[in-house]
Structures are given as C-alpha cells and as structure tokens.
Amino acid sequence: MSSLEARTGRHRQRYDDNNYRLVSGCIPYRLTKDEDDQNDDIETRIEVVMVSSPNRTDLVFPKGGWEDDETVKEAACREALEESGVKGKLTAELGFWIFRSKSKQELCCTEGSCKGYMFALEVTEELETWPEQENRYRKWLNIKDAFELCRYEWMRKALEEFLRIMREDRKKEEIVDAMEEEETVDATEEETVDDAPSVPASDVVAENPLCPSNCYITNQSNRHGILDPWQIIPLKRLPLT
C-alpha cells in the first residue's frame, strides 16, 4: 500500500471485473558500466533497486495500490518515488501477475487476490529524502542478489521477464551497431575511390606496349582506385590535306 493511501485514504482503490485488487509496481534499474563495454551478457551491467519492509530481512520491488485518479503507469512511478525515492522513465511493460496478499488482506477483495502490473523503470534521479524513508530503506543490488533476496515468487518472475527483455534489446543494439559499422566502412571505401589521383594517359601508354600510337586512354578507375590499362579507345585517322 502506498504512503498516500495510508495517510489520507482520499483515493479509491481500483478493482477489475474479477474483483481483483489492482496493484502497480516497477523494477528500478541502472546500467553500471560504460556502453563501450564488450561483455556480451547484459546481466553483469545491471543493478536494480529493492526496498525493505518493517521487521523483515527480505526485499521487494516498489509496488502498491493503483488508485482511481491515475493511470497504471502513473501509479508505478508514484510507488517508486514514495517507497524507494527514485525517479525515472518507464522503458518496458513486463506484464501482470495474480497473487494473494498475505499481510494486508483486508485491503484486497474477499478472496485476498491481487493483480499486479509491473514495469521496468530506468532511474534518472535518486532523492536524498522520500515519503516512506522512515519505514523503508532502498538498496542497489546485482541481478543474482536480487533473485536471492526477493520475497515474492511473482516478483522473481517479473525480474526474469525484465532480464529477458533487456537481453533482447541488447541483441538488437548489437545488430544495429554492426550495420552502422558496415555502412561506415563502405562510405570510407567510396571516398577512397573518389579521391584517387588520376594517372596521365601518356604514362600508361609508355608502360603498356600493347597500346598503339593511334589510341588514347580514358581516365576511368575501378572501385579500388586503379586505372584500367585496357580501357583503350582507338582514334580515327584524319585525311591528309
């Protein structure tokens, strides 16, 4: 539950047609290494934010009730700010999971079931103070530690989906980078051809005994900038006067 709900209770909690209490949350993350890093596994570059709960040693990702005056994405960003003191931009929708609320069943439907939507949030700002700072501390973790310390199974599944998406995005970036590099090489080769110095025809004639005196050489080059000595055009003889 968000601190805003706990403090005021002014906003109504959302439920879907199946009477599931709707929850929104996110996995805040950052890339810890330079983008030029050659490590193929994106997992080693990711750190995620998790938050504590009172009287517990395990951790969770920021999440809470989706209220009736906001969108599901606005709710995810609000929970990230209130529970962990981070701001950022949502980069991916991870999906939704059905789970049973164990600690706050009175806030859920009669069966105690909730439907949690999760997003990936790239952190752009960390606040020194935040609304739930007295009750929660935030911690940056690598992916391995996040799996081990995560309290809920459904949140671990959301983390698996997050990692899958990040790896797919990384592969797409590698393909784009390879295509751009190939285009750069082709452009450099074309510039080399265009800037190749011309060779005087007389020099070619002198070096080419097969070229008769009544011919001239066209100044044409192949793609490697080398004059083709066989590009010979015969001259028409003029009548004597």
Side-chain angles (χ1 to χ4, degrees):
M1 181 180 69
S2 72
S3 61
L4 185 60
E5 286 178 302
R7 289 194 307 270
T8 68
R10 290 178 296 178
H11 300 288
R12 295 175 56 189
Q13 174 63 55
R14 286 179 183 263
Y15 291 85
D16 70 359
D17 294 338
N18 295 317
N19 208 28
Y20 289 149
R21 177 177 177 251
L22 299 182
V23 170
S24 184
C26 64
I27 298 178
Y29 73 94
R30 66 186 178 190
L31 299 180
T32 61
K33 296 183 180 181
D34 189 85
E35 293 183 357
D36 293 333
D37 183 65
Q38 298 300 314
N39 196 322
D40 292 334
D41 192 355
I42 189 68
E43 179 179 341
T44 61
R45 298 178 53 197
I46 301 175
E47 286 185 346
V48 296
V49 167
M50 302 192 77
V51 296
S52 65
S53 298
N55 304 319
R56 296 190 66 104
T57 58
D58 49 12
L59 302 174
V60 297
F61 294 111
K63 59 97 178 161
W66 172 12
E67 298 169 355
D68 62 355
D69 66 334
E70 61 188 354
T71 67
V72 65
K73 292 182 178 181
E74 290 172 342
C77 292
R78 174 178 56 76
E79 291 295 338
L81 173 62
E82 291 180 358
E83 292 192 355
S84 63
V86 298
K87 295 181 179 181
K89 59 181 179 179
L90 299 179
T91 58
E93 182 176 345
L94 305 179
F96 67 85
W97 287 264
I98 305 298
F99 62 95
R100 186 175 182 83
S101 175
K102 296 180 180 179
S103 61
K104 298 291 184 180
Q105 290 193 19
E106 71 275 12
L107 296 176
C108 292
C109 60
T110 55
E111 293 81 11
S113 295
C114 301
K115 187 175 184 179
Y117 294 84
M118 292 293 287
F119 299 85
L121 182 140
E122 184 177 6
V123 174
T124 57
E125 183 180 358
E126 290 184 70
L127 305 180
E128 295 183 0
T129 60
W130 60 94
E132 298 189 20
Q133 187 174 10
E134 294 183 358
N135 298 322
R136 301 179 186 273
Y137 68 84
R138 70 180 173 219
K139 189 172 184 179
W140 284 100
L141 300 166
N142 60 39
I143 296 296
K144 181 177 180 295
D145 291 341
F147 274 114
E148 293 178 354
L149 294 174
C150 186
R151 180 191 310 172
Y152 300 121
E153 177 63 25
W154 72 271
M155 282 191 174
R156 283 192 286 271
K157 292 180 179 179
L159 184 57
E160 290 175 353
E161 179 64 13
F162 164 74
L163 188 57
R164 184 191 68 79
I165 291 175
M166 293 295 288
R167 283 172 172 164
E168 283 190 355
D169 289 346
R170 175 62 174 171
K171 290 180 181 178
K172 292 177 182 178
E173 290 176 0
E174 290 175 348
I175 293 174
V176 172
D177 291 343
M179 293 176 62
E180 291 179 349
E181 182 177 354
E182 183 177 351
E183 291 176 356
T184 300
V185 171
D186 292 342
T188 302
E189 290 181 351
E190 291 177 1
E191 291 178 359
T192 302
V193 172
D194 294 338
D195 296 339
S198 58
V199 180
S202 58
D203 293 346
V204 178
V205 171
E207 296 176 1
N208 190 350
L210 299 179
C211 180
S213 59
N214 64 334
C215 298
Y216 73 92
I217 309 298
T218 61
N219 191 16
Q220 295 184 2
S221 304
N222 59 25
R223 68 183 303 269
H224 298 291
I226 302 175
L227 187 66
D228 186 352
W230 300 105
Q231 189 64 29
I232 303 172
I233 309 298
L235 292 173
K236 293 183 179 181
R237 293 184 178 277
L238 297 177
L240 298 175
T241 57

